[in-house]
Amino acid sequence: DFFPDILHTHDWQTALAAIYLKQQYRYIERYRSIKSVHTIHNIEYQGVYDFNILDDVFGLSPDEASIVEYKGAVNLTKGAIVCCDRLTTVSPRYAKEIQTESYSSGLYYIINQYSYKVSGILNGIDVGYYDPAADPALPANFTADDLTGKAVCKAELAASLGLPDKPDAPMITMISRLASHKGFDLVTAVIEEIISTTDVQLVVLGKGEIQYERYFTRLSEKYPDKVKAVIDYNKDLSKRIYAAGDIFVMPSKSEPCGLAQMICSRYGSVPLVRETGGLYDSIKPYDGASGEGNGFTFANYNAHDMLYVLREMLSLYADDRAAWDKLVRKIMNIDFSWKVSAGEYIKMYEEVCDL
């Protein structure tokens, strides 16, 4: 007996609910007033199937085939785009990107046909779970006002991974699925140039494409005092790495939202990101003169552009630790909580319901 104001569906797995609501339930009075919002988290995954299962699996009649038909197949995401009242993504930038041919994964024409529905709201993080002041996974807790515990975390992580304790050497970290999509082709093209010529440490955590697993394993064998690759998924270790790191590298080819850049900021690790999707929306380039910005960014998907900015970060760390520590304190105080995002969703829901 509960009939909501809004049905909010997510990705292709729930797209049929939006389609059923508009195509089959609109004739039932109590369902007629329900509005639908559909969120695309990653447009690469669309729910594409053969038309042979249109009826017996999806329960759609031949008369409804045009709703889900796209390029000769059933495309559930396309059907949700047609049927929903509002189409959202998990960042404002990604909402614009999916309206271009290069980012739309083939849905360019249908998204632009319904572009009046499209908007983006940036995701948030659980600031209670990711809290350096109280996180039980850390060997020492710390706050933006007292970074003493962060130095302890760095020393403990190095010891646990078999790296020497070098408090003045910047620790570069990456926590990710090891895939070209995440920018690892850029990293592998230039990171050894940094490792071999600069007093730094590199810690990589993640699993993925075998060529990258092998690359970082070999790199850690070649530079045992500078590099450690942990080919694994480990939540507690990831939080210890966030807390220990000085620089967090996230050069994604595309990133609908991304959370790691927010999490690393919460733990005082300065992000280096490519200006795409939610990375563009959440991280703005640091300006040493004005102090504005909350990280370092590069725009072109180019390894040497990334390398140039990374060298800028290393120079700031080495030459002006007061400015670096000020930036660390600043990013730790940024509100990446769901409170901000929730307010945007409520506003959008009210617009959909004409409140």
Side-chain angles (χ1 to χ4, degrees):
D1 294 326
F2 174 66
F3 291 83
D5 299 299
I6 295 169
L7 176 69
H8 192 158
T9 55
H10 296 262
D11 281 337
W12 70 267
Q13 291 92 338
T14 60
L16 276 165
I19 296 167
Y20 292 149
L21 179 67
K22 181 61 67 74
Q23 292 302 117
Q24 300 177 1
Y25 283 80
R26 62 178 174 170
Y27 305 106
I28 303 172
E29 184 177 354
R30 296 190 70 180
Y31 289 89
R32 197 169 297 153
S33 62
I34 298 175
K35 302 292 186 179
S36 67
V37 175
H38 185 71
T39 294
I40 293 175
H41 293 260
N42 189 333
I43 201 167
E44 291 184 18
Y45 307 106
Q46 300 173 8
V48 178
Y49 293 93
D50 191 278
F51 263 108
N52 290 332
I53 61 173
L54 181 71
D55 181 15
D56 60 344
V57 173
F58 296 138
L60 296 173
S61 70
D63 292 339
E64 296 168 310
S66 63
I67 298 297
V68 294
E69 191 278 330
Y70 199 68
K71 297 184 176 180
V74 171
N75 188 308
L76 300 181
T77 296
K78 182 261 185 177
I81 292 170
V82 172
C83 292
C84 71
D85 294 296
R86 180 69 70 89
L87 179 68
T88 72
T89 66
V90 288
S91 71
R93 179 76 166 199
Y94 195 58
K96 294 178 180 178
E97 288 175 344
I98 65 169
Q99 296 179 61
T100 66
E101 285 193 71
S102 57
Y103 280 93
S104 63
S105 294
L107 285 173
Y108 169 74
Y109 296 105
I110 197 69
I111 290 173
N112 278 270
Q113 184 179 345
Y114 293 93
S115 60
Y116 63 91
K117 297 181 180 181
V118 182
S119 62
I121 298 174
L122 191 68
N123 278 342
I125 60 171
D126 184 340
V127 294
Y129 180 73
Y130 295 110
D131 182 6
D135 193 335
L138 305 186
N141 296 117
F142 59 94
T143 66
D145 295 326
D146 184 0
L147 295 172
T148 306
K150 184 169 176 63
V152 175
C153 290
K154 183 175 179 178
E156 187 280 337
L157 181 71
S160 68
L161 297 179
L163 294 172
D165 181 14
K166 303 187 74 173
D168 293 327
M171 181 177 284
I172 303 168
T173 62
M174 298 187 74
I175 302 170
S176 175
R177 180 166 52 87
L178 305 182
S180 298
H181 177 78
K182 293 294 186 178
F184 279 94
D185 52 339
L186 303 188
V187 175
T188 55
V190 298
I191 196 63
E192 190 170 3
E193 186 175 333
I194 291 288
I195 298 298
S196 62
T197 62
T198 312
D199 187 19
V200 299
Q201 292 178 328
L202 172 67
V203 176
V204 178
L205 173 65
K207 298 178 71 174
E209 296 172 15
I210 191 65
Q211 70 266 32
Y212 298 122
E213 292 186 1
R214 289 174 176 168
Y215 175 85
F216 287 109
T217 299
R218 286 196 298 266
L219 199 66
S220 63
E221 293 169 351
K222 186 175 181 180
Y223 301 96
D225 290 341
K226 286 189 169 186
V227 181
K228 180 63 178 181
V230 182
I231 309 302
D232 193 12
Y233 293 117
N234 186 317
K235 282 188 177 181
D236 283 349
L237 178 57
S238 72
K239 294 168 86 174
R240 288 165 52 210
I241 293 173
Y242 283 126
D246 298 299
I247 296 170
F248 188 86
V249 180
M250 196 173 179
S252 303
K253 187 171 293 184
S254 68
E255 196 69 58
C257 175
L259 299 178
Q261 79 278 14
M262 303 180 196
I263 299 168
C264 75
S265 298
R266 180 90 168 130
Y267 286 85
S269 184
V270 181
L272 165 58
V273 306
R274 194 175 86 82
E275 296 172 8
T276 184
L279 300 179
Y280 173 86
D281 292 316
S282 57
I283 306 300
K284 298 304 178 183
Y286 174 72
D287 184 329
S290 67
E292 294 181 355
N294 63 324
F296 288 76
T297 72
F298 65 102
N300 296 323
Y301 194 74
N302 180 284
H304 286 88
D305 286 5
M306 182 191 73
L307 178 63
Y308 179 84
V309 177
L310 179 55
R311 290 196 183 280
E312 282 190 334
M313 298 180 77
L314 296 173
S315 294
L316 180 65
Y317 184 93
D319 300 336
D320 196 343
R321 286 298 293 276
W324 182 272
D325 288 345
K326 185 177 181 180
L327 176 59
V328 168
R329 293 186 176 95
K330 177 182 180 180
I331 66 176
M332 288 181 69
N333 285 319
I334 294 174
D335 186 0
F336 283 126
S337 72
W338 273 105
K339 182 178 180 180
V340 177
S341 306
E344 291 296 313
Y345 275 106
I346 291 170
K347 180 180 177 182
M348 182 264 293
Y349 289 149
E350 290 174 343
E351 290 174 355
V352 170
C353 292
D354 296 323
L355 297 179

